[in-house]
């Protein structure tokens, strides 16, 4: 158990809908990362937050957005969902968000768009 | 970040040492070598990392060649629970704002009973 929690574990929805994925980082970690794992693209970095502020952005679609709240939990919002958005979404956290730190991953949310 | 090359798959007998190679011939002086693994569809799990010296922890050993162009992850006594995809990742140490992990395709390690 990494100490990172993600909810829900599974999510089934329809095209065009909007969903919110939630992540609680390990106690004391200030930085949160979101990754997407699909069959054809592998594990890809989406976005990073540090203490409530966006720190780095990867190949995150404009239909996707995220935020980190004052209690440090983070939410990833996916809107106008398409079939290709079906994937595993992982959240990771680290203490300060610097490159040499270990990132600890949550169990993921499996999203299925029908 | 430097690109890494790993064999797509490997088998290892249970109880034997599993040696997973990684080539990172374009690695820079300030880049670390990290290893993560992913068991089935669980979240990736940190294993070990190093800069130039060999490293050992309770999970594994990391051997980095003197020229730093390749490394080997060693699981000393592989068990069935070590069956997973192993990712070798090279990360810049000083480039703030670039803390992401860039995963390649990894090596699928299967431990044979």
């Amino acid at each position: 158990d990494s100490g990172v929690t993600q909810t829900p574990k599974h999510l089934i929805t329809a095209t065009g809908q909007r969903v919110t994925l939630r992540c609680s980082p390990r106690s004391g970690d200030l930085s949160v990362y979101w990754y997407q794992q699909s069959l054809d693209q592998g594990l890809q970095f989406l976005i990073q937050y540090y203490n409530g502020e966006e720190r780095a952005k990867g190949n995150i679609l404009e239909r996707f957005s995220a935020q980190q709240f004052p209690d440090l939990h983070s939410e990833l919002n996916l809107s106008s969902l398409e079939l290709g958005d079906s994937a595993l979404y992982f959240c990771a956290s680290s203490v300060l968000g610097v490159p040499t730190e270990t990132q600890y991953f949550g169990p993921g949310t499996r999203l299925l768009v029908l | 970040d430097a690109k890494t090359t790993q064999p797509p798959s490997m088998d290892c007998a249970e109880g034997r040492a599993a040696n997973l190679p990684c080539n990172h011939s374009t690695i820079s002086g300030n880049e670390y070598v990290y290893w993560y693994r992913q068991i089935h569809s669980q979240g990736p799990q940190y294993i070990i990392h190093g800069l130039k010296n060999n490293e050992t922890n309770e999970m594994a050993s990391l051997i980095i060649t003197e020229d730093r162009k390749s490394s080997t992850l060693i699981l000393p006594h592989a068990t069935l629970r070590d069956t997973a995809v192993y990712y070798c990742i090279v990360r810049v140490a000083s480039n703030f704002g670039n803390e992401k992990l860039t995963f390649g395709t990894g090596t699928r390690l299967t431990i044979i009973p």
Side-chain angles (χ1 to χ4, degrees), chain B residues 16-65:
Chain B
R16 303 297 293 269
N19 296 277
L20 292 94
C22 178
N23 184 291
H24 32 79
S25 58
T26 59
I27 194 170
S28 300
N30 64 347
E31 290 180 315
Y32 284 73
V33 180
Y34 274 76
W35 285 82
Y36 277 77
R37 72 181 182 184
Q38 187 175 25
I39 297 172
H40 194 44
S41 294
Q42 297 176 23
Q45 177 189 25
Y46 165 79
I47 301 173
I48 198 167
H49 75 279
L51 182 62
K52 52 177 91 168
N53 298 320
N54 298 338
E55 302 287 345
T56 296
N57 63 20
E58 65 280 0
M59 287 183 70
S61 295
L62 174 60
I63 308 297
I64 302 175
T65 58

Side-chain angles (χ1 to χ4, degrees), chain A:
Chain A
D1 184 359
S2 66
V4 178
T5 60
Q6 290 186 248
T7 57
K9 286 186 180 176
H10 303 276
L11 200 47
I12 302 175
T13 188
T15 54
Q17 294 298 303
R18 173 189 168 96
V19 297
T20 297
L21 312 184
R22 181 187 169 103
C23 168
S24 293
R26 294 187 320 154
S27 176
D29 284 1
L30 298 177
S31 198
V32 169
Y33 312 76
W34 286 97
Y35 292 83
Q36 178 194 54
Q37 185 172 32
S38 59
L39 281 175
D40 55 346
Q41 295 289 329
L43 262 163
Q44 290 204 314
F45 168 74
L46 294 178
I47 197 163
Q48 178 200 1
Y49 279 82
Y50 172 74
N51 205 20
E53 299 288 327
E54 182 182 305
R55 169 73 72 88
K57 226 170 184 177
N59 296 325
I60 187 167
L61 299 172
E62 284 191 16
R63 302 183 283 108
F64 295 3
S65 65
Q67 54 183 328
Q68 186 179 27
F69 295 86
D71 68 352
L72 301 177
H73 91 272
S74 177
E75 292 181 356
L76 179 67
N77 300 295
L78 315 177
S79 61
S80 302
L81 284 167
E82 302 174 0
L83 295 177
D85 297 328
S86 295
L88 272 166
Y89 291 84
F90 292 105
C91 166
S93 73
S94 66
V95 178
L96 295 176
V98 297
T100 54
E101 281 189 326
T102 297
Q103 291 182 22
Y104 294 90
F105 283 77
T109 292
R110 185 179 293 275
L111 173 66
L112 180 58
V113 182
L114 301 175

Side-chain angles (χ1 to χ4, degrees), chain B:
Chain B
D1 291 344
K3 183 178 169 63
T4 61
T5 304
Q6 299 177 252
S9 64
M10 293 181 63
D11 291 340
C12 178
E14 188 178 16
R16 303 297 293 269
N19 296 277
L20 292 94
C22 178
N23 184 291
H24 32 79
S25 58
T26 59
I27 194 170
S28 300
N30 64 347
E31 290 180 315
Y32 284 73
V33 180
Y34 274 76
W35 285 82
Y36 277 77
R37 72 181 182 184
Q38 187 175 25
I39 297 172
H40 194 44
S41 294
Q42 297 176 23
Q45 177 189 25
Y46 165 79
I47 301 173
I48 198 167
H49 75 279
L51 182 62
K52 52 177 91 168
N53 298 320
N54 298 338
E55 302 287 345
T56 296
N57 63 20
E58 65 280 0
M59 287 183 70
S61 295
L62 174 60
I63 308 297
I64 302 175
T65 58
E66 195 168 337
D67 63 7
R68 302 186 70 239
K69 293 185 177 182
S70 66
S71 61
T72 301
L73 177 75
I74 302 172
L75 308 177
H77 305 287
T79 71
L80 297 178
R81 287 180 294 182
D82 292 321
T83 292
V85 177
Y86 287 76
Y87 296 98
C88 170
I89 299 167
V90 174
R91 298 174 75 191
V92 175
S94 60
N95 188 5
F96 288 87
N98 187 25
E99 290 83 13
K100 66 180 180 181
L101 291 170
T102 301
F103 290 85
T105 52
T107 295
R108 182 172 298 276
L109 175 68
T110 302
I111 306 302
I112 311 295

